[in-house]
Amino acid sequence: SAPRPPRTPPRPARPAEPSGRDGWMARAAEHYRAGSYAQAAEAYQRAVEIEPGFAPAQRGLAVSRLRAGDVNGAARAYRALARLEPQSAAVQVGLARALTRAGDREGARAAYELALALDPGRQDAQRELAALREEASGAEPEPQRPVLASSVARRPAPAPSAEPPPEPTGPTLPERPSRDDIIRTMMPFGARVEACAPEVSGTVSFRMVITGATGEVQDVTTLGEHAGTPEAACWESHLRGARFPRFTRETLEVSYPFQLEGPPPEDDPES
């Protein structure tokens, strides 16, 4: 009998489309963490279409479009986000950066001015608005001293050690780690937190539950406006690797802030 032709291998099944807003948010987070920002923006757009008033989806859309180089799309998304969060200085800073990259210097200056009206202490907005004003006047911009946050520096920090910090000396463990122990343990994570979301600036706080017997992080949650975003997922994945000195209490809950400065100005030689 004639030989049978070889079977054609079956085509791989296409991944099922996500279901609902949360499904598209999860898909967007996967693309964002992989650096596929255009695909992340598409997934965030689907989430926005399902629930236009859901600020985390609109924020993810804005940041993803900006990272993908779609500056006009990012500006539109930031404007939509500003309607949802009119009191957020961070949103206005994001809008200003998108407008700057799109060549709309006047619109960028107005957004920075509004950001400072909402939060006069924002150093990034002060610095970048001053640079735009100097550019408009034709003056040579003065050299800017780098503004370093107390817990996050611009230059890369050493990678956190896999080994836990030294155990306290003496016959007994303390009831809880000291404030200095907590700061020493958390500081090396600053650069990793910064790298997760270069477009985010301002204070981001985390609630952490630490196990006394091992010093390991049992749970970490991002607090505030960034909760549930792809940036939060990235931050939390790094902070779960923190190891604190052991202590006698069963668990300890702490809140820890990182001050993120956002991206440097366009003319910064280190950018």
Side-chain angles (χ1 to χ4, degrees), residues 19 30 64 67 72 87 103 105 133 136 150 181 191 198 203 260 264:
S19 174
E30 291 174 5
S64 297
R67 294 295 297 271
N72 292 316
Q87 300 304 313
R105 299 296 197 268
R133 286 173 172 168
S150 59
D181 286 334
T203 303
L260 307 184

Side-chain angles (χ1 to χ4, degrees), residues 3-252:
R4 294 181 179 179
R7 291 184 178 180
T8 303
R11 293 182 180 179
R14 295 181 62 183
E17 280 204 348
S19 174
R21 183 201 74 187
D22 292 343
W24 283 108
M25 290 290 289
R27 177 67 59 83
E30 291 174 5
H31 288 313
Y32 190 94
R33 287 193 294 270
S36 301
Y37 301 117
Q39 291 175 290
E42 291 175 5
Y44 280 124
Q45 180 63 51
R46 295 293 296 270
V48 167
E49 290 167 0
I50 293 170
E51 187 173 341
F54 187 54
Q58 193 69 58
R59 185 181 305 111
L61 176 61
V63 173
S64 297
R65 282 181 170 169
L66 192 59
R67 294 295 297 271
D70 179 8
V71 292
N72 292 316
R76 289 194 299 272
Y78 272 118
R79 285 194 175 103
L81 181 59
R83 290 193 289 272
L84 298 174
E85 298 181 342
Q87 300 304 313
S88 172
V91 173
Q92 293 300 324
V93 170
L95 172 59
R97 288 172 178 156
L99 292 173
T100 299
R101 296 178 192 183
D104 183 358
R105 299 296 197 268
E106 184 176 345
R109 286 194 296 271
Y112 279 129
E113 288 167 356
L114 180 52
L116 289 171
L118 294 168
D119 182 0
R122 283 199 68 111
Q123 294 177 326
D124 54 349
Q126 294 170 5
R127 182 177 61 243
E128 292 164 36
L129 177 59
L132 285 174
R133 286 173 172 168
E134 287 169 348
E135 177 188 287
S137 68
E140 195 68 28
E142 295 183 4
Q144 295 286 328
R145 294 178 61 85
V147 180
L148 301 180
S150 59
S151 57
V152 178
R154 235 345 126 196
R155 298 190 182 278
S161 171
E163 296 297 322
E167 298 292 354
T169 57
T172 60
L173 296 174
E175 181 188 6
R176 52 173 292 164
S178 68
R179 181 176 180 273
D180 287 343
D181 286 334
I182 292 172
I183 293 173
R184 274 196 300 270
T185 301
M186 295 298 288
M187 280 190 68
F189 288 85
R192 291 190 174 192
V193 169
E194 182 96 41
C196 280
E199 301 300 334
V200 175
S201 58
T203 303
V204 180
S205 296
F206 302 91
R207 181 186 67 85
M208 306 178 70
V209 179
I210 308 164
T211 302
T214 62
E216 296 178 349
V217 176
Q218 185 182 110
D219 184 53
V220 57
T221 305
T222 304
L223 305 176
E225 63 176 335
H226 297 290
T229 64
E231 296 87 351
C234 182
W235 295 327
E236 292 164 9
S237 70
H238 287 305
L239 295 182
R240 287 190 186 94
R243 294 294 181 269
F244 294 82
R246 294 189 298 123
F247 51 95
T248 58
R249 290 179 58 172
E250 183 177 353
T251 60
L252 176 68

